[in-house]
Amino acid sequence: MSVDPRHPHPPGALTDEELTSLDAHWRAANYLAVGQIYLMANPLLTEPLRPEHIKPRLLGHWGTSPGLNLVHTHLNRVIKARDLDALCLWGPGHGGPAVLANSWLEGSYSETYPDIARDAQGMARLFGQFSFPGGVPSHVAPETPGSIHEGGELGYSLSHAYGAALDNPGLVVACVIGDGEAETGPLAASWHSNKFLDPEHDGAVLPILHLNGYKIAGPTVLARIPEDELDALLRGYGHDPLHVTGDDPATVHRAMAHALDTALDRIAEHGRPPMIVLRTPKGWTGPAEVDGLPVEGTWRAHQVPLAAVRDNPDHLRQLEQWLRSYRPEDLFDDDGSPKPHVLACVPEGRRRLGATPHANGGLLLRSLPLPPLERFAVPVDKPGATLHEPTRVLGELLENVMRATADRRDFRIVGPDETESNRLQAVYAATGKAWQAGTLDVDEHLDRHGRVMEILSEHTCQGWLEGYLLTGRHGLFSCYEAFAHIVDSMVNQHIKWLRVTRRLPWRAPIASLNYLLTSHVWRQDHNGFSHQDPGFVDHVLNKSPEVVRVYFPPDANTLLSVADHALRSRDHVNVIVAGKQPCHDWLSMEQAEAHCARGAGIWEWAGTENGDREPDVVLAAAGDIPTQEVLAAAQLLRRHLPRLAVRVVNVIDIARLMPGDEHPHGMSDFAYDGLFTADRPVIFAYHGYPWLIHRLAYRRAGHPRLHVRGYKEIGTTTTPFDMLVRNDLDRYRLVMDVIDRVPGLAVRAAAVRQSMEDVRLRHHAWIREHGTDLPEVADWTWDG
C-alpha cells in the first residue's frame, strides 16, 4: 500500500501547541462520554448538578471509553498530518460512548443526524438518547457513523479489519482490541490474518491491543502475563509490537504519537507488520475511589462507577467534580460548540473516521459482472437422464466471475480449506489461494495475489467476508454443512446489523452474505456422525425474516439460478444447500429459472394426477437427495398403484411455506392450499430436521395431514442409502407412508406395503455383506 511517510516534524515530537490540542480533544471526548452515561439535562454544567439532571436508569460502560478516546484523538492527528485514508474498528464491547463522542466532535454525527447539532441543544440530545428507550445502543452499532463493527459480541474485530483491508490498497485499518476480547477463540485465530495480506493489492491493518487490565469482574490474561512473554507472543504472531504505557496524560500523549508515527512509517516501508500495545488504567480520569473502594484502574470502573447519583448526595457531588475536572468551559463555547483548539487535530471531509465511505460500503458497491447462465447450464432433454456434480458446475460460473473482476478485485471466496473438496476448483484457473507465508515445491494453487481465502477457522473466514462486504465488495462462503454451526453467533450479529441498517436511510445497501453449504448430511456417510448436521438453516430461519433466505436447489441448473440471484441480492443472508456428488439433472435452464422464481411448484411430469381430478396424495421435497427419493417413490407408486393420483411438489425457497405476513417470501393461504391442498395427506421429504417444516407450516389448514420425513439425528459411517433408511427418508419408507395415510389404501395396498418393507430388510443384509448399496438403488434412473 502507499502511505506518505513524511511528517511536518520528527515522529512523535509534539509541539506544546499540538500537545495542548490533543489533550483538549481527549478531555472533550471523555466529558461527552461521561455525559452520555449520566446526564439528561444541564449538559454544559451551567448550573449546579441536581438529581433531576440525571437519567433514571444509568446504563453504559465507562471503563474502556478513555482509552478509546485516546486512540481516536491520535488517529485524527496522523490522518490529518499524512492525509491518510483510514478506517477504525472498535473491538471493546461497550465502547459506544467514546465513538459517539468523537463522531459528534468531528461533525460527522450532526451531518448524519441533523437534529443532533454541534451545540448545547445537540449535546443534550446526544446525552439523552444514549442507552435510552427510542435512542441508541451502548455499543458501537449500525447507528454509529464510521462503524462497520457491532461491539456487543467480542472476538470479531481483527478479522473484520483484515476483511476491510483486502483489495483496498492505500487504506489503513486501525483495530482496537480490548484485552477481554483478546481472550476469545475467534480473536486468537485472527492474528494469523497477516499471512494473507497482499502488500500490492491490499491495505494495511494496524492492531492496537488495549490493555486496561480487566474484564467485567476480573483481570485479563494478556494484561497480567510478563511483558516480555506478551512481546514474544505477539512477535510470534508476526508483529513488531510498539509499547505505550502510562497514566500521566502528557507522557502518554507523547508516547502514543511516537508509536503511531513509527507504525505508519513501518507500514509505508512494507516491513514486518507493526502493532501497538497500549496500557492505560481502566476508567482512566474517572473517580479514584467510591464508597471507600478503589475504582480507577480496577474492574469496578467497567460500567457505571457512581451508581446511586440520584439518591446519594455524595455520589452526585463526585459526579459533578468528575465532569468539571475536564474543564468544559475550556472545551466548549457558550453555545456548546467545540472550541477551535479542540478540533485542531481533526481531519476534514471524508478523511474523518465517522465520514469515511469505507464504513458505509454500499456507497462504494458496484454490481458484479455476472455472465449469462446459459453459458454454464447443463443440457437437459429429459428429466433425470444425465448426472452432474452441481457445485462443480457452479465452480465454472464462479471462475468466470473471478476473471471478470480480476482488475477491479471486488469478489472473493472464503472457506476452511474446502474449495477443491467442495468441487469449486475451477476458480483456480482465474486466481489462486491467497498466501504470503513460505511455500514448498509440493504446494498447489498458492498465490501472493490470490482471491480465494482458506484458513481452518470458520470464525476467521466469516470475519474476513463480513469486513469485505461491509466495505463495499462481494463474496461467497463455501463450507461443509455440519461446520457452518461454528459461526452461528457471528451470523446472528450480521443479521442483526443488516436488520438495523435497513431502517437507517443513510446506510446504503451492501452485497449479501452468501453461504454455500455442501458436503451435506446425506453425503457424509464416509465421514460419519460427526459430519452429519443439517441444522444451520434452523438457526438462520429463527432470525429476521426480512434478512434471511434459505434455498435447496435440487440439481445443477437450479443451483446456477439460485447462486445468480444470491450474488445479485443486497442486504440479505442467503444460505444455499447443494450437493457436490453426481446428481440427476431434472430441469433445463429455462425450467430451472422459472421454478426458482416460483420458489415452490408442481412437477407435473413426475406426478400422476393428470389435471382431471384432485390428487389423492402430495409428495413434496426440499433438497437434492429428498427430491431424488420422492421421485423414486413416485415411480414406485406409478408402478404398483397406477390408479393413485400423486402430485409431486418441489420446494427450493423454504420460506415459501411460511405465511406471507411472517416472511416476505411466504405464500398466502390460498396459494398454499392450491399447491399442497387443504385436505389431502402430504408426505414431505425434507433435507434437514423434520420439525422445521412443521414449525413453518403449523398455521396452514392442511397441517394435521402433513407428515415430514427428514434427518432424525441417526448417523454413522455407512453407505449413502443406509443413511436414508436409518432416518426413514428412503423411497420405500415414503411409499409406506403414502399407503398408511391415504384413506382406503391400508387394506387394498397391504401387499405393496409389505414388499416395500421387504426391500428395506434386504437392504440391511446386503450392505453388511457387500459394503455397497442395493444395485436397484445405486443404479436407479428416472424412467418417467
Side-chain angles (χ1 to χ4, degrees):
M1 63 160 295
S2 57
V3 175
D4 185 357
R6 293 170 298 178
H7 305 275
H9 44 74
L14 297 177
T15 65
D16 290 343
E17 183 179 2
E18 285 178 317
L19 178 59
T20 299
S21 174
L22 288 169
D23 189 63
H25 186 277
W26 179 57
R27 287 186 287 116
N30 286 339
Y31 179 87
L32 295 171
V34 180
Q36 289 175 80
I37 295 172
Y38 285 96
L39 299 184
M40 60 186 301
N42 192 18
L44 290 171
L45 301 183
T46 53
E47 56 181 303
L49 207 55
R50 298 194 303 271
E52 56 265 31
H53 299 151
I54 310 301
K55 293 179 179 180
R57 297 177 70 228
L58 299 179
L59 302 170
H61 294 72
W62 163 246
T64 190
S65 293
L68 298 185
N69 286 332
L70 182 87
V71 171
H72 204 301
T73 295
H74 281 265
L75 286 174
N76 282 342
R77 181 188 74 84
V78 293
I79 291 169
K80 184 174 183 177
R82 297 167 178 253
D83 191 29
L84 289 182
D85 191 11
L87 172 70
C88 189
L89 283 88
W90 309 94
H94 298 274
V99 185
L100 290 169
N102 283 278
S103 176
W104 186 85
L105 281 173
E106 71 183 19
S108 60
Y109 201 83
S110 298
E111 291 169 11
T112 306
Y113 303 102
D115 60 320
I116 302 180
R118 243 187 338 178
D119 56 24
Q121 187 176 16
M123 188 188 297
R125 288 179 175 171
L126 179 76
F127 290 177
Q129 70 172 2
F130 180 78
S131 280
F132 202 82
V136 298
S138 65
H139 311 144
V140 184
E143 295 91 339
T144 310
S147 172
I148 67 165
H149 177 76
E150 162 67 75
E153 183 170 322
L154 302 178
Y156 315 140
S157 60
L158 192 54
S159 57
H160 281 164
Y162 277 97
L166 295 171
D167 295 322
N168 254 329
L171 181 67
V172 174
V173 185
C175 179
V176 186
I177 304 158
D179 45 359
E181 180 178 29
E183 295 180 359
T184 66
L187 195 288
S190 59
W191 288 114
H192 298 301
S193 299
N194 56 19
K195 310 302 185 300
F196 297 85
L197 216 57
D198 176 3
E200 181 176 339
H201 293 107
D202 300 335
V205 174
L206 177 61
I208 302 172
L209 178 60
H210 184 211
L211 303 178
N212 62 31
Y214 294 91
K215 303 186 285 284
I216 295 174
T220 55
V221 173
L222 295 188
R224 289 290 179 93
I225 63 176
E227 187 163 300
D228 60 346
E229 182 180 337
L230 174 65
D231 194 77
L233 174 68
L234 299 175
R235 290 183 184 279
Y237 281 134
H239 284 285
D240 188 1
L242 301 163
H243 295 265
V244 176
T245 303
D247 59 4
D248 173 66
T251 302
V252 174
H253 281 309
R254 293 189 186 280
M256 189 64 178
H258 184 273
L260 270 175
D261 280 337
T262 303
L264 291 170
D265 286 348
R266 292 179 183 175
I267 287 172
E269 295 161 1
H270 302 297
R272 188 174 169 86
M275 66 172 292
I276 295 173
V277 179
L278 174 64
R279 290 181 186 264
T280 59
K282 188 153 189 147
W284 191 18
T285 72
E289 186 179 285
V290 176
D291 296 333
L293 297 172
V295 174
E296 182 186 20
T298 78
W299 53 269
R300 294 187 181 92
H302 181 72
Q303 290 180 291
V304 181
L306 296 162
V309 184
R310 273 193 162 222
D311 305 317
N312 186 324
D314 190 52
H315 282 205
L316 182 65
R317 177 187 57 78
Q318 279 189 274
L319 175 60
E320 183 164 2
Q321 290 177 344
W322 178 11
L323 285 164
R324 292 194 185 279
S325 73
Y326 298 118
R327 307 193 300 281
E329 68 282 356
D330 178 53
L331 307 174
F332 306 102
D333 288 334
D334 292 341
D335 68 353
S337 60
K339 290 186 176 181
H341 71 288
V342 172
L343 303 180
C345 65
V346 175
E348 297 179 354
R350 289 160 50 121
R351 289 296 192 239
R352 294 169 297 170
L353 288 173
T356 172
H358 296 288
N360 192 359
L363 297 175
L364 306 174
L365 185 66
R366 295 175 289 178
S367 297
L368 273 180
L370 291 165
L373 296 183
E374 291 74 17
R375 289 172 50 185
F376 308 96
V378 301
V380 180
D381 298 323
K382 178 184 176 183
T386 56
L387 295 94
H388 283 86
E389 297 169 344
T391 57
R392 189 183 296 275
V393 175
L394 176 63
E396 296 172 1
L397 170 68
L398 296 175
E399 185 264 341
N400 182 278
V401 177
M402 280 291 190
R403 286 192 187 279
T405 56
D407 293 331
R408 40 188 274 181
R409 294 184 66 92
D410 60 352
F411 178 72
R412 294 219 176 202
I413 295 173
V414 304
D417 191 32
E418 295 162 358
T419 305
E420 188 162 358
S421 173
N422 290 336
R423 308 290 196 268
L424 301 178
Q425 63 265 40
V427 298
Y428 292 142
T431 185
K433 293 186 278 190
W435 188 253
Q436 301 298 319
T439 59
L440 302 174
D441 291 341
V442 296
D443 294 330
E444 292 184 338
H445 308 306
L446 299 185
D447 183 353
R448 294 182 65 82
H449 309 309
R451 286 183 289 139
V452 175
M453 309 285 291
E454 290 190 341
I455 187 174
L456 270 175
S457 164
E458 284 83 357
H459 290 119
T460 305
C461 291
Q462 174 89 11
W464 284 343
L465 184 55
E466 287 182 3
Y468 198 65
L469 299 175
L470 287 160
T471 48
R473 282 74 65 74
H474 305 261
L476 176 75
F477 187 168
S478 169
C479 185
Y480 277 25
E481 179 186 55
F483 304 121
H485 273 303
I486 293 171
V487 300
D488 276 0
S489 193
M490 293 186 77
V491 71
N492 284 357
Q493 300 301 330
H494 191 72
I495 292 169
K496 293 174 191 291
W497 179 280
L498 292 177
R499 184 182 184 277
V500 173
T501 60
R502 282 170 167 260
R503 290 157 175 77
L504 299 173
W506 60 273
R507 285 275 185 188
I510 64 170
S512 297
L513 172 57
N514 301 309
Y515 291 97
L516 173 65
L517 304 189
T518 186
S519 299
H520 62 55
V521 57
W522 302 113
R523 285 298 180 263
Q524 280 296 326
D525 46 278
H526 59 299
N527 276 325
F529 201 19
S530 65
H531 284 53
Q532 297 160 359
D533 189 330
F536 186 71
V537 297
D538 300 61
H539 173 72
V540 168
L541 282 171
N542 283 325
K543 307 305 170 186
S544 302
E546 63 202 283
V547 176
V548 299
R549 305 286 185 267
V550 176
Y551 301 102
F552 290 95
D555 68 356
N557 285 338
T558 51
L559 175 57
L560 286 175
S561 180
V562 166
D564 178 81
H565 172 76
L567 290 170
R568 295 180 190 274
S569 68
R570 301 289 183 267
D571 280 350
H572 290 152
V573 169
N574 298 306
V575 181
I576 304 170
V577 183
K580 68 181 185 182
Q581 302 294 345
C583 171
H584 291 280
D585 303 316
W586 304 115
L587 303 179
S588 69
M589 196 67 245
E590 182 180 1
Q591 293 169 329
E593 290 184 294
H595 184 48
C596 290
R598 285 190 297 267
I602 299 170
W603 284 6
E604 295 181 67
W605 51 268
T608 56
E609 55 181 320
N610 297 323
D612 56 354
R613 63 189 178 100
E614 292 187 7
D616 297 312
V617 65
V618 176
L619 284 178
D624 52 2
I625 298 304
T627 296
Q628 173 185 285
E629 292 308 298
V630 158
L631 291 173
Q635 188 169 280
L636 288 168
L637 289 169
R638 180 179 300 181
R639 182 185 309 151
H640 294 289
L641 299 170
R643 299 196 322 190
L644 189 71
V646 178
R647 172 178 291 180
V648 174
V649 172
N650 187 266
V651 179
I652 285 184
D653 181 351
I654 203 70
R656 294 287 286 152
L657 301 178
M658 300 173 70
D661 58 356
E662 291 185 5
H663 194 284
H665 288 194
M667 277 188 271
S668 67
D669 286 337
F670 179 81
Y672 182 94
D673 291 345
L675 188 61
F676 291 99
T677 78
D679 57 0
R680 303 303 166 97
V682 177
I683 313 301
F684 201 121
Y686 173 54
H687 173 90
Y689 294 106
W691 39 87
L692 175 66
I693 303 301
H694 285 292
R695 180 166 69 84
L696 300 181
Y698 79 97
R699 289 171 53 185
R700 303 297 190 178
H703 183 253
R705 285 162 290 280
L706 174 64
H707 181 67
V708 186
R709 292 293 186 181
Y711 184 63
K712 299 191 297 186
E713 201 68 16
I714 301 174
T716 186
T717 301
T718 185
T719 68
F721 191 68
D722 191 51
M723 279 291 298
L724 295 163
V725 174
R726 285 169 176 268
N727 289 275
D728 291 323
L729 186 60
D730 62 282
R731 60 199 67 178
Y732 306 111
R733 178 71 256 185
L734 296 178
V735 171
M736 294 163 64
D737 285 337
V738 170
I739 294 170
D740 291 345
R741 285 166 174 77
V742 173
L745 284 187
V747 175
R748 287 192 291 115
V752 176
R753 191 186 193 286
Q754 181 174 293
S755 67
M756 298 297 110
E757 185 64 52
D758 288 346
V759 178
R760 284 165 56 92
L761 293 172
R762 182 160 55 88
H763 152 80
H764 285 294
W766 178 273
I767 64 171
R768 281 157 179 77
E769 180 179 352
H770 299 278
T772 59
D773 285 322
L774 289 167
E776 61 258 49
V777 171
D779 301 328
W780 177 83
T781 58
W782 171 255
D783 61 7

